[in-house]
Amino acid sequence: MEFDPRTDRLPFNESDEAEQAPAGATELSGDARIRHLQRVPLFSGFNEKELRRVAELARIVDVPAGTAVTQIGEPGNSFFVIIDGTVAVRTPVGTGAQLHPGEFFGEMSLLDGEPRSATIVATTDLRLLVVDRSHFWRLLDETPDLIRGMLTILSRRVRRLEQTVHAILHGTNPT
Ligand code: CMP
Protein backbone atom coordinates (compact mmCIF):
# COMPACT_ATOMS: atom_id res chain seq x y z
CA MET A 1 0.00 0.00 0.00
CA GLU A 2 1.31 3.45 -0.85
CA PHE A 3 0.48 7.02 -0.22
CA ASP A 4 -1.39 8.68 -3.03
CA PRO A 5 1.58 10.47 -4.63
CA ARG A 6 -0.61 13.33 -5.88
CA THR A 7 -1.68 14.26 -2.43
CA ASP A 8 0.63 12.31 -0.14
CA ARG A 9 -2.48 11.19 1.67
CA LEU A 10 -3.11 7.62 2.65
CA PRO A 11 -5.53 5.77 0.36
CA PHE A 12 -8.04 5.58 3.20
CA ASN A 13 -7.98 9.33 3.38
CA GLU A 14 -8.87 10.16 -0.22
CA SER A 15 -12.39 11.54 -0.17
CA ASP A 16 -13.16 14.98 1.18
CA GLU A 17 -15.32 13.38 3.81
CA ALA A 18 -12.51 11.04 4.80
CA GLU A 19 -10.20 14.02 5.01
CA GLN A 20 -12.36 15.49 7.72
CA ALA A 21 -12.34 12.24 9.70
CA PRO A 22 -9.94 9.80 8.05
CA ALA A 23 -10.76 6.18 8.76
CA GLY A 24 -7.18 5.41 9.68
CA ALA A 25 -6.64 8.54 11.68
CA THR A 26 -6.64 8.09 15.39
CA GLU A 27 -9.31 10.11 17.11
CA LEU A 28 -7.60 11.38 20.22
CA SER A 29 -8.56 14.13 22.60
CA GLY A 30 -6.30 17.18 22.67
CA ASP A 31 -4.78 16.05 25.96
CA ALA A 32 -4.10 12.52 24.65
CA ARG A 33 -2.39 13.99 21.59
CA ILE A 34 -0.24 16.21 23.79
CA ARG A 35 0.77 13.17 25.87
CA HIS A 36 1.92 11.51 22.62
CA LEU A 37 3.90 14.60 21.68
CA GLN A 38 5.59 14.75 25.10
CA ARG A 39 7.20 11.38 24.33
CA VAL A 40 8.82 12.72 21.14
CA PRO A 41 12.41 13.96 21.73
CA LEU A 42 12.05 16.56 18.97
CA PHE A 43 9.47 18.30 21.18
CA SER A 44 11.26 17.74 24.49
CA GLY A 45 11.96 21.45 25.12
CA PHE A 46 8.47 22.54 24.19
CA ASN A 47 6.24 24.24 26.74
CA GLU A 48 2.56 23.45 27.10
CA LYS A 49 1.52 26.26 24.74
CA GLU A 50 3.88 25.09 21.98
CA LEU A 51 2.76 21.47 22.36
CA ARG A 52 -0.85 22.58 22.07
CA ARG A 53 0.01 24.46 18.87
CA VAL A 54 1.69 21.36 17.40
CA ALA A 55 -1.38 19.29 18.33
CA GLU A 56 -3.64 21.85 16.60
CA LEU A 57 -1.62 21.95 13.37
CA ALA A 58 -0.95 18.20 13.07
CA ARG A 59 -2.95 15.01 12.94
CA ILE A 60 -2.09 11.51 14.07
CA VAL A 61 -2.34 8.68 11.54
CA ASP A 62 -1.85 4.94 11.95
CA VAL A 63 -0.11 3.25 9.00
CA PRO A 64 0.28 -0.52 8.45
CA ALA A 65 3.68 -2.18 8.02
CA GLY A 66 4.77 -2.33 4.39
CA THR A 67 3.29 1.04 3.41
CA ALA A 68 5.49 3.30 1.27
CA VAL A 69 4.89 6.58 3.06
CA THR A 70 6.94 8.61 0.56
CA GLN A 71 8.02 7.63 -2.96
CA ILE A 72 11.27 8.92 -4.41
CA GLY A 73 10.67 11.34 -7.29
CA GLU A 74 7.03 12.00 -6.41
CA PRO A 75 5.66 15.31 -5.14
CA GLY A 76 5.44 15.58 -1.39
CA ASN A 77 2.94 17.49 0.68
CA SER A 78 3.43 16.33 4.25
CA PHE A 79 6.00 16.26 7.05
CA PHE A 80 6.05 13.25 9.38
CA VAL A 81 7.25 12.59 12.92
CA ILE A 82 7.36 8.96 14.05
CA ILE A 83 5.47 8.44 17.30
CA ASP A 84 5.60 4.63 17.26
CA GLY A 85 7.30 2.21 14.86
CA THR A 86 10.25 2.10 12.46
CA VAL A 87 10.79 3.04 8.82
CA ALA A 88 13.53 2.24 6.30
CA VAL A 89 14.97 5.02 4.14
CA ARG A 90 15.85 4.15 0.53
CA THR A 91 17.88 6.91 -1.10
CA PRO A 92 19.48 7.00 -4.58
CA VAL A 93 22.70 5.66 -2.98
CA GLY A 94 20.94 2.66 -1.50
CA THR A 95 19.05 1.63 1.57
CA GLY A 96 20.34 3.77 4.37
CA ALA A 97 19.11 4.63 7.79
CA GLN A 98 16.29 3.19 9.79
CA LEU A 99 14.30 5.92 11.55
CA HIS A 100 12.75 5.34 14.96
CA PRO A 101 10.26 7.02 17.30
CA GLY A 102 11.02 10.70 17.74
CA GLU A 103 12.70 10.97 14.36
CA PHE A 104 11.16 12.80 11.41
CA PHE A 105 11.11 12.69 7.64
CA GLY A 106 9.48 14.42 4.67
CA GLU A 107 10.79 17.88 5.53
CA MET A 108 12.98 18.25 2.42
CA SER A 109 10.16 18.48 -0.14
CA LEU A 110 8.34 20.99 2.02
CA LEU A 111 11.48 23.09 2.49
CA ASP A 112 12.66 23.22 -1.13
CA GLY A 113 9.57 22.25 -3.14
CA GLU A 114 11.45 19.47 -4.95
CA PRO A 115 10.16 15.87 -5.31
CA ARG A 116 10.74 13.32 -2.55
CA SER A 117 14.44 12.51 -2.21
CA ALA A 118 13.89 9.02 -0.80
CA THR A 119 11.35 6.24 -0.51
CA ILE A 120 10.34 5.67 3.09
CA VAL A 121 8.77 2.30 3.91
CA ALA A 122 7.10 1.32 7.18
CA THR A 123 8.98 -1.73 8.50
CA THR A 124 6.48 -2.03 11.37
CA ASP A 125 3.00 -0.66 11.99
CA LEU A 126 3.40 3.07 12.49
CA ARG A 127 1.79 5.86 14.39
CA LEU A 128 2.76 9.12 12.70
CA LEU A 129 2.28 12.77 13.46
CA VAL A 130 1.47 14.37 10.09
CA VAL A 131 1.79 18.06 9.30
CA ASP A 132 0.47 19.10 5.90
CA ARG A 133 2.19 21.65 3.68
CA SER A 134 -0.47 24.25 4.45
CA HIS A 135 0.47 24.16 8.15
CA PHE A 136 4.21 23.42 7.95
CA TRP A 137 5.59 26.97 7.72
CA ARG A 138 3.15 28.24 10.31
CA LEU A 139 4.37 25.52 12.66
CA LEU A 140 8.02 26.47 12.04
CA ASP A 141 7.23 30.16 12.47
CA GLU A 142 5.60 29.53 15.83
CA THR A 143 8.08 26.98 17.23
CA PRO A 144 11.73 28.08 16.75
CA ASP A 145 12.88 25.09 18.83
CA LEU A 146 11.53 22.83 16.08
CA ILE A 147 13.68 24.67 13.49
CA ARG A 148 16.76 24.20 15.70
CA GLY A 149 16.03 20.50 16.17
CA MET A 150 15.42 20.03 12.46
CA LEU A 151 18.62 21.85 11.43
CA THR A 152 20.68 19.77 13.86
CA ILE A 153 19.35 16.54 12.42
CA LEU A 154 19.76 17.75 8.83
CA SER A 155 23.42 18.62 9.54
CA ARG A 156 23.93 15.16 10.98
CA ARG A 157 22.36 13.55 7.89
CA VAL A 158 24.62 15.57 5.54
CA ARG A 159 27.70 14.52 7.55
CA ARG A 160 26.67 10.86 7.47
CA LEU A 161 26.05 11.04 3.73
CA GLU A 162 29.46 12.67 3.12
CA GLN A 163 31.11 9.93 5.16
CA THR A 164 29.27 7.30 3.11
CA VAL A 165 30.34 8.93 -0.17
CA HIS A 166 33.93 9.15 1.10
CA ALA A 167 33.89 5.48 2.04
CA ILE A 168 32.47 4.54 -1.38
CA LEU A 169 35.07 6.63 -3.26
CA HIS A 170 38.05 5.54 -1.20
CA GLY A 171 36.97 2.11 -0.09
CA THR A 172 37.63 3.07 3.49
CA ASN A 173 35.66 4.02 6.50
CA PRO A 174 36.67 7.64 7.36
CA THR A 175 35.44 7.49 10.97
P1 CMP B 1 11.71 14.29 1.48
O1 CMP B 1 12.66 14.40 0.36
O2 CMP B 1 10.61 15.27 1.57
O3 CMP B 1 11.08 12.82 1.47
C1 CMP B 1 11.93 11.72 1.71
C2 CMP B 1 12.59 11.95 3.03
O4 CMP B 1 13.58 11.01 3.39
C3 CMP B 1 13.38 13.26 3.04
O5 CMP B 1 12.49 14.33 2.88
C4 CMP B 1 14.11 13.14 4.34
O6 CMP B 1 13.27 13.44 5.41
C5 CMP B 1 14.41 11.63 4.36
N1 CMP B 1 15.79 11.37 3.96
C6 CMP B 1 16.37 11.61 2.77
N2 CMP B 1 17.67 11.25 2.78
C7 CMP B 1 17.92 10.77 4.01
C8 CMP B 1 19.07 10.22 4.67
N3 CMP B 1 20.24 10.09 4.02
N4 CMP B 1 18.95 9.83 5.97
C9 CMP B 1 17.78 9.94 6.61
N5 CMP B 1 16.65 10.43 6.04
C10 CMP B 1 16.72 10.84 4.77
Side-chain angles (χ1 to χ4, degrees):
M1 194 202 289
E2 295 180 2
F3 267 83
D4 180 334
R6 289 160 304 163
T7 60
D8 230 7
R9 279 189 253 135
L10 287 165
F12 55 61
N13 190 14
E14 272 179 352
S15 74
D16 288 342
E17 192 179 82
E19 197 178 351
Q20 300 301 320
T26 307
E27 290 296 329
L28 297 173
S29 70
D31 285 348
R33 274 196 285 168
I34 285 171
R35 276 199 299 280
H36 271 300
L37 298 180
Q38 280 169 334
R39 291 196 284 127
V40 176
L42 189 62
F43 304 126
S44 61
F46 281 33
N47 60 34
E48 175 88 17
K49 188 176 160 218
E50 288 172 317
L51 285 176
R52 261 185 211 291
R53 197 59 186 134
V54 176
E56 282 165 11
L57 294 175
R59 58 205 159 92
I60 289 176
V61 172
D62 289 337
V63 176
T67 303
V69 184
T70 70
Q71 281 282 3
I72 192 165
E74 299 290 350
N77 288 308
S78 305
F79 165 69
F80 306 90
V81 182
I82 302 172
I83 294 174
D84 289 310
T86 304
V87 300
V89 183
R90 294 183 197 149
T91 69
V93 292
T95 301
Q98 294 249 345
L99 302 179
H100 301 100
E103 297 188 281
F104 63 82
F105 58 91
E107 76 293 344
M108 290 172 61
S109 288
L110 299 196
L111 290 170
D112 67 10
E114 296 288 324
R116 293 297 194 197
S117 62
T119 295
I120 302 264
V121 178
T123 50
T124 68
D125 289 347
L126 297 178
R127 176 161 286 182
L128 296 173
L129 183 80
V130 184
V131 181
D132 293 322
R133 180 183 288 283
S134 55
H135 290 143
F136 181 68
W137 286 108
R138 199 177 317 158
L139 183 64
L140 293 188
D141 283 345
E142 294 183 21
T143 54
D145 281 351
L146 184 57
I147 300 179
R148 281 189 206 111
M150 203 176 275
L151 289 175
T152 303
I153 301 292
L154 284 174
S155 302
R156 216 169 277 160
R157 286 180 185 167
V158 171
R159 265 182 216 286
R160 204 172 300 145
L161 199 58
E162 286 173 342
Q163 287 167 353
T164 302
V165 170
H166 183 279
I168 290 169
L169 290 178
H170 302 280
T172 56
N173 185 343
T175 54

